[in-house]
Amino acid sequence: MPAYSMIDGVPALTVNDWCQSGLTYRQYCYDRRNGDVKILRRGVRGETVIDARSIRRADRLRVIERVMGRVPREEHRPLYTVDMDREAEAFFAAYEKADGTRLSEETVRQLTAKASIFNALRKGLARQTERRAASGSKLRKGAYWQTMLRWHTDECRRSAETYGVAVPEYTNARSLERAFRAYVAEGYAALLPRNMGNDAARKVSRRAENLIVALWRTNDKPFAARVHELYMEFAAGDTELFDRATGEVFRPEDYRYKGRPQAVSCSTIRRYLKNVVNETAVYADRNGQFDYANSQRPKHVRHNGRFALSKISMDDAVLSRKSTRGWVAKYLCVDVVSGYWFRPAYTVGTPTLDTVMEAFRNVFCELTELGLPMPAELEVEHHLMQNIDWLPEAFQFVRFCSSPTEKRAEHNIRSLKWGTSKKQGHMCGRWYGKAEAFKSVRNKVHGDFIDPTFQPQTIIADDLTDIELHNNALHPRQKEFPGLTRREVLLKHANPTLRPIAPERLYKHIGNVTETTIRNNDYVRVASAEFALADFDMLSRLQPNDRRVTAYWLPQEDGSVPCVYLYQGDVYIGQATARAEMAYNECAAERTEADEARMLTQHKRAARFDRMIRERRREIPQVGRISKETAEATAAAPVQIVETRQPIGYEEDELTASMEDWAARAIDQL
């Protein structure tokens, strides 16, 4: 028994089924001409498909139902199956608009559903085209797009349940076809709104926004309400604004809407002013470059080094206790890796360039006493350091920090203050500290806040004690330096690639200066002491008829000066050592072994001088002088040659014996 077939949810039968049920092909042709049946799909040899619902004549329908049964009701199912396009979802989720923002989740779901529906349309169109090509008929596009519009409208109405978001509908078939063909040609980008990212929806244009932020940029720090007043006065023509850099005058007509000032509320002005980028862009103008660099500018992420003296950091700090003469400040230097503090330079008041030079002297004197090399890198601030031109000559690397938070010295200052100094009771904090533990106790006397004062010497002595305890405490990185103090890390883990300190170059910049003269080709007088030349070859480096030199020197911790370095202009002459160290007892009966050694040193030194002068004198001939007439007469006098006889035995004396041909004698003995 033939049965109905379901095509796109429609019950259908073929012409062969029609004839097998008892009807004739002639009856089918008659009903088809009169429109009593509807053809779903044409075929050959009786395979043309008829819509069973379209049979109008009751007698024909009864015959068919007697054989094939009652015509089933139409199944309600979509024309095409829609599958969610995950590639489209990933594309829209990663898409960035012109201002750098992403699409909202609702927009992503909506565009993904739209792309998925269009994908189903594309597959359906391909199938329809293939079927029409196989049957030899032509697709009627007008009827097809009308059908697709109805199907698309049904899908959009069910989109809230199916996709979780409403998909916009199309009003006519032509608009649907244009959108579909743009999607096929351009891909997912064709579904994006054309006006996305432009200024059409902005109440305040970009130019107006720039002017509003410019009014807020001034250093008098106006409030948002004041900026709103200034902008509205300008838009109304009551105030003239101009660009300070170019002199350009802003025209109110460019900032009006339909010839009248645009109504912008104060809240709208505040919203644009408090935009993160706008607020950051004018922060330095309103609050200064210092606060901008500390609180707004991104910071570098760094980790500490492995070797001591690879980098030292210098900075100034004010001690927390007030002295009877004012606040005591110090300029300090700390090794970054070990955290070791060199002896700071103290002053009452603001540190000056002299304070900085004293700090440098303390650092290099301490390095020399410890036998350590020259640090590789110096980290400093621009203040007080920007005018020191010899830093690149002394250090391999010099880094000027753009922000105080970049200096490692700041971190070590905090470590000392809230570590050792607080434990010793020498850190009282500040009255404006954020936390209670960091605030100082304020005593109010007769209505005024009075800070306790101390003698400057007491404050400095306590600070030096804290530094000593801090240097001899365990290093905080015990996993890397187990059991070692900060001082031991400095001494045992110095960078092995560092070059030794060259005091003859360094003291020229940080040492004390004395103008002196080389006396007796032997010594100079500096700081009420005499210093002997280390090498007499230094005399040859002096300018002709000029024994004046410049001595650079630094005292040791006990105040003694072991040596000085002599320059004549920019030319390094040499080193001179203290003569007092070479002095010996002139009484022979009282001399010790040390006196004998010093006396021998002076004898050798004098012998070297004598040898240098003797060798130079040997090169200089002794010249006699005669007149020109005498020389001519001597040259014209006849010369008589007298032959002499050699004495007997001359050939065998000790001089001629050494002239014997030993090579010929050896050949004769072969």
Side-chain angles (χ1 to χ4, degrees):
M1 176 183 296
Y4 298 103
S5 60
M6 304 300 296
I7 299 177
D8 293 336
V10 178
L13 71 160
T14 64
V15 175
N16 292 334
D17 296 334
W18 172 286
C19 296
Q20 290 177 6
S21 63
L23 299 175
T24 64
Y25 183 73
R26 187 182 182 88
Q27 291 174 327
Y28 159 72
C29 293
Y30 181 82
D31 291 348
R32 184 190 63 187
R33 286 194 303 267
N34 296 334
D36 293 335
V37 295
K38 181 179 179 181
I39 297 175
L40 287 179
R41 187 171 59 201
R42 295 187 181 276
V44 295
R45 296 186 181 88
E47 293 298 326
T48 299
V49 180
I50 304 171
D51 185 356
R53 302 171 306 170
S54 65
I55 302 175
R56 294 183 180 181
R57 297 188 61 165
D59 55 341
R60 309 280 202 268
L61 185 59
R62 283 195 299 269
V63 174
I64 293 174
E65 288 183 346
R66 188 168 51 247
V67 177
M68 302 181 61
R70 293 184 59 86
V71 178
R73 300 181 61 185
E74 179 183 4
E75 294 183 4
H76 181 76
R77 66 187 185 92
L79 186 61
Y80 300 123
T81 303
V82 180
D83 298 325
M84 188 63 66
D85 190 347
R86 298 302 176 186
E87 294 184 5
E89 183 179 13
F91 174 83
F92 294 122
Y95 179 80
E96 290 187 1
K97 294 188 285 188
D99 57 356
T101 59
R102 300 290 182 89
L103 301 176
S104 64
E105 294 183 5
E106 181 179 0
T107 304
V108 171
R109 291 197 302 269
Q110 185 182 80
L111 296 178
T112 303
K114 195 172 182 180
S116 303
I117 294 174
F118 276 175
N119 290 340
L121 276 177
R122 181 159 52 181
K123 294 178 181 178
L125 179 61
R127 288 199 302 267
Q128 291 287 346
T129 304
E130 291 176 0
R131 290 174 183 176
R132 293 291 180 175
S135 63
S137 61
K138 188 176 181 181
L139 179 64
R140 293 182 296 178
K141 295 184 179 180
Y144 173 80
W145 285 111
Q146 288 293 339
T147 304
M148 291 302 104
L149 177 62
R150 290 193 296 271
W151 175 80
H152 186 274
T153 302
D154 294 340
E155 284 293 326
C156 292
R157 291 174 180 176
R158 292 194 301 268
S159 60
E161 300 177 1
T162 307
Y163 313 110
V165 64
V167 179
E169 304 175 8
Y170 288 95
T171 57
N172 54 70
R174 291 295 297 165
S175 60
L176 173 62
E177 182 181 2
R178 283 194 299 268
F180 173 76
R181 297 204 180 278
Y183 172 75
V184 173
E186 302 175 19
Y188 300 133
L191 302 181
L192 294 170
R194 298 300 181 184
N195 60 348
M196 182 178 294
N198 60 19
D199 286 348
R202 289 170 60 101
K203 190 172 185 180
V204 176
S205 65
R206 186 71 172 181
R207 180 166 54 180
E209 179 184 357
N210 293 339
L211 183 59
I212 291 171
V213 177
L215 293 173
W216 194 52
R217 184 180 184 177
T218 55
N219 57 7
D220 57 349
K221 305 175 71 169
F223 295 110
R226 178 57 179 165
V227 173
H228 177 253
E229 294 177 4
L230 294 174
Y231 178 75
M232 296 308 296
E233 290 176 0
F234 161 74
D238 298 334
T239 303
E240 184 178 274
L241 300 178
F242 64 93
D243 192 330
R244 292 179 179 270
T246 63
E248 176 189 1
V249 176
F250 297 99
R251 300 194 315 163
E253 295 79 8
D254 298 335
Y255 301 88
R256 293 178 180 177
Y257 178 73
K258 293 184 179 180
R260 61 179 182 274
Q262 188 176 12
V264 181
S265 63
C266 185
S267 59
T268 302
I269 295 290
R270 184 178 292 106
R271 183 167 62 87
Y272 282 104
L273 296 180
K274 292 302 181 180
N275 177 274
V276 175
V277 177
N278 291 342
E279 188 176 19
T280 306
V282 300
Y283 191 91
D285 299 293
R286 289 174 59 88
N287 301 278
Q289 187 68 28
F290 182 83
D291 288 344
Y292 168 76
N294 290 337
S295 61
Q296 303 295 323
R297 193 169 183 269
K299 305 297 186 297
H300 286 213
V301 179
R302 302 172 293 177
H303 64 81
N304 214 330
R306 297 174 50 197
F307 297 105
L309 296 180
S310 294
K311 181 179 182 179
I312 60 174
S313 183
M314 301 186 71
D315 196 13
D316 61 322
V318 178
L319 302 182
S320 64
R321 295 183 296 173
K322 190 176 182 180
S323 73
T324 55
R325 294 165 49 195
W327 294 102
V328 178
K330 62 181 177 182
Y331 213 92
L332 59 101
C333 177
V334 62
D335 178 63
V336 172
V337 175
S338 66
Y340 180 87
W341 278 59
F342 297 94
R343 182 187 177 93
Y346 297 92
T347 183
V348 177
T350 304
T352 61
L353 186 59
D354 293 336
T355 312
V356 176
M357 301 306 294
E358 183 180 352
F360 273 118
R361 295 187 188 103
N362 293 344
V363 171
F364 291 111
C365 287
E366 194 167 350
L367 288 174
T368 303
E369 291 177 1
L370 297 175
L372 294 174
M374 184 74 179
E377 182 179 359
L378 175 65
E379 183 183 66
V380 294
E381 59 185 352
H382 286 273
H383 179 56
L384 295 179
M385 289 286 187
Q386 58 185 350
N387 296 326
I388 302 179
D389 54 357
W390 56 266
L391 294 181
E393 180 182 347
F395 297 91
Q396 300 179 39
F397 308 97
V398 179
R399 180 173 182 269
F400 289 92
C401 298
S402 59
S403 171
T405 56
E406 297 180 14
K407 288 197 300 293
R408 288 295 182 183
E410 294 279 356
H411 308 162
N412 287 273
I413 291 173
R414 183 169 58 252
S415 175
L416 177 67
K417 284 169 55 177
W418 302 110
T420 305
S421 296
K422 188 171 179 61
K423 292 178 182 178
Q424 299 299 317
H426 301 151
M427 180 62 196
C428 60
R430 292 287 189 266
W431 63 267
Y432 47 81
K434 293 183 179 180
E436 182 270 339
F438 300 97
K439 289 185 177 181
S440 61
V441 179
R442 308 180 70 190
N443 300 319
K444 195 171 185 179
V445 179
H446 302 298
D448 296 328
F449 288 103
I450 304 298
D451 293 327
T453 57
F454 303 84
Q455 291 296 326
Q457 296 83 352
T458 302
I459 297 175
I460 294 174
D462 291 342
D463 190 63
L464 290 175
T465 302
D466 296 339
I467 291 175
E468 185 68 20
L469 294 174
H470 181 80
N471 289 339
N472 290 283
L474 289 177
H475 195 278
R477 294 158 58 185
Q478 284 296 298
K479 290 184 178 180
E480 189 172 353
F481 307 108
L484 298 181
T485 63
R486 293 182 175 90
R487 182 184 178 89
E488 291 172 342
V489 172
L490 177 72
L491 297 176
K492 297 181 180 180
H493 291 272
N495 195 323
T497 63
L498 299 180
R499 61 191 182 188
I501 296 177
E504 68 276 3
R505 297 171 56 189
L506 191 62
Y507 284 17
K508 184 179 179 182
H509 305 298
I510 66 173
N512 298 319
V513 183
T514 301
E515 300 291 340
T516 184
T517 303
I518 297 179
R519 302 168 182 263
N520 200 31
N521 295 326
D522 186 18
Y523 66 93
V524 295
R525 184 178 295 276
V526 177
S528 302
E530 295 178 350
F531 295 85
L533 304 181
D535 187 1
F536 291 110
D537 291 338
M538 298 164 52
L539 298 173
S540 61
R541 303 188 189 105
L542 296 173
Q543 294 291 331
N545 196 30
D546 189 2
R547 287 181 169 81
R548 294 171 299 176
V549 292
T550 303
Y552 298 94
W553 53 278
L554 282 178
Q556 291 186 333
E557 189 174 2
D558 57 358
S560 62
V561 181
C563 62
V564 298
Y565 299 93
L566 305 179
Y567 279 80
Q568 195 172 60
D570 293 333
V571 179
Y572 176 60
I573 302 301
Q575 179 182 354
T577 56
R579 295 186 75 192
E581 298 179 359
M582 297 188 297
Y584 63 89
N585 196 329
E586 63 179 341
C587 300
E590 300 179 7
R591 290 175 189 161
T592 62
E593 292 183 0
D595 291 324
E596 295 291 342
R598 296 190 188 101
M599 184 174 63
L600 180 60
T601 299
Q602 292 198 52
H603 282 316
K604 290 181 178 180
R605 187 170 180 273
R608 287 195 299 270
F609 179 81
D610 293 339
R611 182 178 59 185
M612 181 188 71
I613 298 301
R614 185 168 57 251
E615 291 177 353
R616 184 69 185 105
R617 291 178 62 184
R618 188 180 298 119
E619 295 178 2
I620 304 174
Q622 295 183 2
V623 179
R625 181 177 178 276
I626 60 175
S627 64
K628 179 179 179 181
E629 293 77 5
T630 305
E632 292 176 351
T634 304
V639 178
Q640 183 180 3
I641 300 175
V642 180
E643 295 183 1
T644 59
R645 180 177 297 179
Q646 298 291 340
I648 300 175
Y650 171 79
E651 295 82 357
E652 302 295 335
D653 61 7
E654 56 184 3
L655 294 177
T656 58
S658 62
M659 299 173 60
E660 184 176 358
D661 190 353
W662 290 98
R665 183 175 179 181
I667 293 174
D668 295 339
Q669 293 178 357
L670 292 177

